Amino acid sequence: MINDLWYKNAIIYCLHVGTYMDANGDGVGDFQGLLRRLDYLHGLGVTAIWLMPFQTSPNRDDGYDVADYYNVDPRYGTLGDFVEFTHGARQRGIRVLIDLVVNHTSNEHAWFKEARKDPQSKYRDWYIWSKKKPPNANKGMVFPGVQKTTWTYDSVAKEYYFHRFYDFQPDLNTSNPLVQAEILKIMGFWIQLGVSGFRMDAVPFVIGTKGAKVKTPHEQYDMLRTFREFLQWREGDAIILAEANVLPDTDMHYFGDDGERMQMMFNFQVNQHLFYALASSDTRPLIKSLRATKPRPATAQWGLFLRNHDELDLGRLTDKERQVVFDAFGPDKDMQLYDRGIRRRLAPMLAGDRRRIELAYSLMFTLPGTPVIRYGDELGMGDDLKLPERNCARTPMQWSNEPHGGFTKSDKPIMPVISHGPYGYEHTNAAIQRRHDESMLNWTERVIRMRKEVPEIGWGDFEILRLRDPAILAIRYDWRNNSVVILHNLDANAREITFDVGLENEGGRVLINLLSEDHSEAQSNGKHKLVIEGYGYRWYRAGGLDYLLRRSEA
Ligand code: NOJ
């Protein structure tokens, strides 16, 4: 594999082994099943897989409660199966990223068991304790409405321990040098087994100061450099993709001024404002967030996503904006979660409207960054609101119209497969969609192929073109003397638009449509005028002078 900045233009696909494909028929997805599906992923055009946590775990938070960092949960297979899988991925040119969940462990981790039992244990100081209940114990919960406190009394230790998330996820004392050394060891272990990096969970909390006396945690950003350096000493092209839902003015602290910290971060700002734009047809706040997140080191990259395995967090929107998104995409209380988000999958949020789903994906594939697809979205899979909290959007992959969607031969799948109705596996599955040219699956495959042919998006500089119509988003990317212009109409109605590509020397006279034969030639005043249908999108390559010449010769 080529070892340059591969992540700048990767196509990342995230999945949970447990709900992807069950090979041994016990109802739980496993590495052997995933191995069999690598050709499907390769065919789709995926270049990197992000695996959600699969290490040994009591699975009370879908694996985000790790009980042994150096093992595969037996339900998913063995370390041997894992290596077979990374090998199979490598053979197909697909990289593997895995979750690194080190802000906290499970309360069933041996370190925590030792720590609570024996104040003299070396592990006592790996966690955060307090003899008295700290006054701010009812603050800073990540799951409001479900989580009651951030400090819980432990009857064995006879002290309170700190947990930013659920009470079964005690926080590690990440300021402790021994804990930091262990984090490096964990990275080193998985790197050795063939992964190309990590999606680091809850980064602001990992680097934040913790303790009973800490009123406002302060971020110890230099820890990020330590992680990054170690990783690259071991494997030059390995990366960290940080989960950090932070404000744009701290982005550079996470990337590092010289790009010496995180290579990638998820762009939560753009994610939330993108949903607002989809809900309101007003792209202005989205444009603002694109501009606010523009500064980044040349080697850094954003991870762009629509929906992930968590709720769609709308906490960064104004109250009014959030309400607009709730009204449009999650009006029932049952669809909302943690007082700030929507727990549904993308397709049902957009009422299964293919035009809107394509629009959303076209945006995700062409906004500045690297796209991160969630498994099943390539089929337009739905959700099951009967399942609690975030589980509603974590149902098994729908492969075919065999029982349980072909996910398992067992009668007891780990999670119920969605059946009946428009999103049921009987209609929505990979086998059927493979056979239909116009299916969501084949559309996604084509769009991924084209996205790979437009490296300008990942590498280039971008400029938002001035248009008077707030429903239209027009972006131009420039890289190595090439330019592409991408248009989206967020409104249901067709729009006539006039715009200037903004390139000198006739560079923007002709726009070649990359997805259809519908090209555009500038008028005599140099401006393009065209009609873009409701929820329409256009991907153009600028500067098709050759095309003009060929036409005049013909
Ligand atoms: C963020 C993960 O995305 C989420 O699923 C998890 O519950 C928390 N971190 C705790 O690890």
Side-chain angles (χ1 to χ4, degrees):
M1 276 186 245
I2 297 171
N3 287 348
D4 62 9
L5 309 187
W6 59 271
Y7 52 92
K8 295 280 275 186
N9 265 315
I11 307 287
I12 303 178
Y13 183 97
C14 102
L15 66 91
H16 195 299
V17 181
T19 50
Y20 206 60
M21 180 66 206
D22 172 21
N24 66 1
D26 65 354
V28 184
D30 41 42
F31 278 106
Q32 290 192 13
L34 175 55
L35 186 62
R36 290 189 199 163
R37 290 297 181 248
L38 275 176
D39 289 314
Y40 166 84
L41 293 168
H42 186 233
L44 188 58
V46 164
T47 64
I49 297 171
W50 153 29
L51 290 183
M52 334 222 58
F54 55 81
Q55 290 87 352
T56 314
S57 162
N59 273 299
R60 295 178 67 191
D61 183 14
D62 216 12
Y64 284 93
D65 47 334
V66 177
D68 179 0
Y69 289 97
Y70 299 104
N71 243 314
V72 168
D73 193 295
R75 306 190 314 162
Y76 309 136
T78 62
L79 278 173
D81 294 329
F82 178 80
V83 171
E84 284 300 293
F85 158 70
T86 51
H87 174 71
R90 184 175 290 256
Q91 270 186 328
R92 292 163 179 86
I94 300 177
R95 290 172 186 274
V96 177
L97 301 172
I98 65 171
D99 247 291
L100 180 65
V101 189
V102 290
N103 175 64
H104 46 267
T105 67
S106 157
N107 58 355
E108 292 185 31
H109 197 294
W111 303 336
F112 189 68
K113 288 187 184 164
E114 283 290 313
R116 53 197 294 234
K117 185 163 91 201
D118 178 4
Q120 304 310 319
S121 153
K122 79 168 208 185
Y123 293 114
R124 186 71 159 206
D125 192 36
W126 283 38
Y127 295 88
I128 314 283
W129 303 96
S130 174
K131 291 205 163 42
K132 287 203 207 115
K133 186 169 192 170
N136 59 357
N138 58 352
K139 298 224 168 69
M141 273 88 72
V142 174
F143 304 121
V146 181
Q147 184 187 353
K148 300 275 170 300
T149 176
T150 50
W151 287 89
T152 293
Y153 186 70
D154 182 68
S155 56
V156 178
K158 300 200 168 43
E159 290 193 29
Y160 289 83
Y161 65 91
F162 175 65
H163 52 92
R164 174 64 69 188
F165 297 91
Y166 295 113
D167 59 0
F168 53 80
Q169 290 166 315
D171 265 49
L172 279 165
N173 178 7
T174 43
S175 300
N176 180 338
L178 295 177
V179 172
Q180 290 181 10
E182 190 75 29
I183 294 175
L184 301 187
K185 203 198 254 185
I186 295 167
M187 293 202 288
F189 178 81
W190 292 103
I191 283 289
Q192 205 70 23
L193 297 189
V195 310
S196 291
F198 303 90
R199 176 263 189 197
M200 196 171 193
D201 190 59
V203 176
F205 300 130
V206 173
I207 64 173
T209 45
K210 311 180 188 194
K213 297 208 177 76
V214 174
K215 281 209 184 94
T216 318
H218 81 260
E219 289 82 9
Q220 306 162 89
Y221 291 111
D222 222 42
M223 267 166 73
L224 300 177
R225 180 191 172 130
T226 315
F227 299 148
R228 158 76 175 266
E229 271 180 358
F230 171 83
L231 194 58
Q232 294 210 315
W233 289 333
R234 289 281 168 100
E235 198 69 56
D237 59 347
I239 64 152
I240 301 179
L241 162 54
E243 186 219 13
N245 182 352
V246 292
L247 290 170
D249 58 359
T250 57
D251 290 345
M252 285 303 282
H253 296 314
Y254 284 86
F255 286 133
D257 286 335
D258 299 316
E260 76 280 14
R261 292 175 185 162
M262 306 285 89
Q263 290 94 336
M264 288 188 78
M265 268 170 90
F266 285 111
N267 197 332
F268 282 92
Q269 278 290 319
V270 163
N271 175 262
Q272 307 194 13
H273 291 95
L274 175 55
F275 274 94
Y276 174 74
L278 290 168
S280 66
S281 317
D282 179 1
T283 63
R284 285 170 299 186
L286 173 61
I287 291 175
K288 225 165 138 191
S289 69
L290 287 168
R291 292 203 170 113
T293 56
K294 193 172 178 182
R296 62 182 142 99
T299 54
Q301 183 62 304
W302 286 115
L304 278 170
F305 62 106
L306 290 171
R307 288 289 292 110
N308 61 16
H309 61 294
D310 291 327
E311 79 288 2
L312 164 66
D313 185 340
L314 301 169
R316 302 273 179 217
L317 301 182
T318 63
D319 291 350
K320 237 167 119 186
E321 289 169 342
R322 190 177 316 110
Q323 199 52 49
V324 170
V325 185
F326 277 144
D327 291 347
F329 299 143
D332 302 349
K333 268 274 161 265
D334 188 33
M335 299 168 173
Q336 301 170 8
L337 198 59
Y338 311 136
D339 305 331
R340 59 162 183 245
I342 299 180
R343 64 189 192 118
R344 307 174 79 191
R345 271 232 190 210
L346 184 76
M349 280 171 74
L350 300 177
D353 183 335
R354 180 65 184 269
R355 294 170 312 156
R356 298 188 87 179
I357 297 172
E358 283 187 19
L359 171 80
Y361 265 105
S362 172
L363 280 158
M364 187 189 85
F365 279 113
T366 59
L367 288 176
T370 289
V372 183
I373 309 166
R374 174 145 172 79
Y375 80 92
D377 276 6
E378 75 274 27
L379 309 174
M381 262 173 60
D383 49 42
D384 180 353
L385 294 179
K386 292 194 292 301
L387 297 173
E389 286 183 66
R390 294 164 290 166
N391 281 358
C392 63
R394 298 175 175 180
T395 60
M397 178 71 175
Q398 296 171 195
W399 293 107
S400 69
N401 55 7
E402 288 167 74
H404 304 295
F407 157 70
T408 180
K409 295 234 179 304
S410 156
D411 279 340
K412 292 198 181 70
I414 172 177
M415 288 259 209
V417 181
I418 294 179
S419 62
H420 307 300
Y423 303 103
Y425 70 81
E426 298 86 349
H427 309 288
T428 303
N429 67 60
I432 290 183
Q433 294 201 17
R434 210 180 263 127
R435 298 190 195 109
H436 288 112
D437 285 356
E438 296 312 317
S439 67
M440 189 65 206
L441 178 61
N442 284 322
W443 179 87
T444 309
E445 187 189 316
R446 287 194 294 275
V447 161
I448 289 177
R449 185 190 309 135
M450 189 45 75
R451 172 62 179 78
K452 287 176 168 169
E453 291 183 30
V454 191
E456 289 84 352
I457 297 174
W459 282 109
D461 225 354
F462 74 89
E463 196 172 310
I464 295 172
L465 305 184
R466 268 178 207 286
L467 258 90
R468 287 219 187 85
D469 189 340
I472 307 289
L473 181 67
I475 305 188
R476 194 192 70 233
Y477 290 92
D478 305 305
W479 184 58
R480 293 192 174 163
N481 263 338
N482 288 310
S483 299
V484 288
V485 176
I486 316 275
L487 304 178
H488 288 95
N489 176 7
L490 283 277
D491 195 71
N493 297 309
R495 294 296 230 262
E496 186 178 70
I497 53 172
T498 307
F499 63 96
D500 194 334
V501 173
L503 290 170
E504 288 173 1
N505 301 331
E506 302 247 304
R509 246 190 92 60
V510 175
L511 296 177
I512 301 291
N513 193 322
L514 295 173
L515 301 170
S516 79
E517 288 301 325
D518 185 13
H519 312 303
S520 172
E521 210 173 309
Q523 306 173 124
S524 52
N525 64 1
K527 293 194 174 171
H528 288 263
K529 185 172 180 180
L530 53 98
V531 174
I532 177 164
E533 68 283 0
Y535 302 133
Y537 52 91
R538 300 275 190 281
W539 298 17
Y540 291 119
R541 188 168 285 288
L545 278 177
D546 293 352
Y547 164 84
L548 256 194
L549 287 176
R550 272 202 310 275
R551 258 190 23 158
S552 58
E553 279 163 12

